Amino acid sequence: QVQLLESGGGLVQPGGSLRLSCAASGSIFSINAMGWYRQAPGKQRELVAVITRGGSTNYADSVKGRFTISRDGAKNMVYLQMNSLKPEDTADYYCNADSLSRRYWGRGTQVTVSS
């Protein structure tokens, strides 16, 4: 079993930055990849960024060049550094962890980008 807890969301002005954190606990040895998803009001949940245990990353086109996902294995933490934020980045952001057999989700943290 894996538990995920997000933090770092909040209200930020356009052009600003936030760093989201995801703390993983439980059977973390089983995790192959972790990622961030977001769900904006009225929209489906979409992949934002993913990082594998080996460190390879992938990003949604909408956030490439602005967001950076990273992982600190020693601390069992995954981060999403979000720069140059836009109003369209407003969403609930969810931490995800994938094992070979299961997907785990945090409860989300809200990011609002507004002037």
Side-chain angles (χ1 to χ4, degrees):
Q1 189 69 263
V2 175
Q3 296 81 43
L4 304 172
L5 180 61
E6 304 97 333
S7 62
L11 175 64
V12 65
Q13 296 185 45
S17 298
L18 283 174
R19 189 177 79 157
L20 305 183
S21 299
C22 176
S25 60
S27 302
I28 56 176
F29 57 86
S30 67
I31 298 173
N32 302 127
M34 297 186 68
W36 289 93
Y37 289 70
R38 68 186 181 187
Q39 187 166 16
K43 295 186 177 180
Q44 297 186 61
R45 186 175 297 185
E46 64 175 351
L47 174 69
V48 176
V50 62
I51 186 168
T52 69
R53 184 175 291 274
S56 63
T57 59
N58 192 38
Y59 298 90
D61 288 341
S62 60
V63 307
K64 286 181 179 177
R66 300 188 297 121
F67 291 10
T68 303
I69 188 170
S70 61
R71 183 176 183 178
D72 186 337
K75 297 181 179 179
N76 301 321
M77 299 285 290
V78 171
Y79 306 96
L80 184 68
Q81 179 66 46
M82 305 185 294
N83 299 326
S84 302
L85 284 161
K86 304 175 181 179
E88 49 263 46
D89 296 317
T90 296
D92 290 330
Y93 284 72
Y94 298 88
C95 183
N96 150 256
D98 292 336
S99 70
L100 289 175
S101 59
R102 296 181 64 180
R103 305 197 82 188
Y104 302 92
W105 297 94
R107 293 187 176 184
T109 185
Q110 185 177 8
V111 173
T112 301
V113 184
S114 176
S115 60

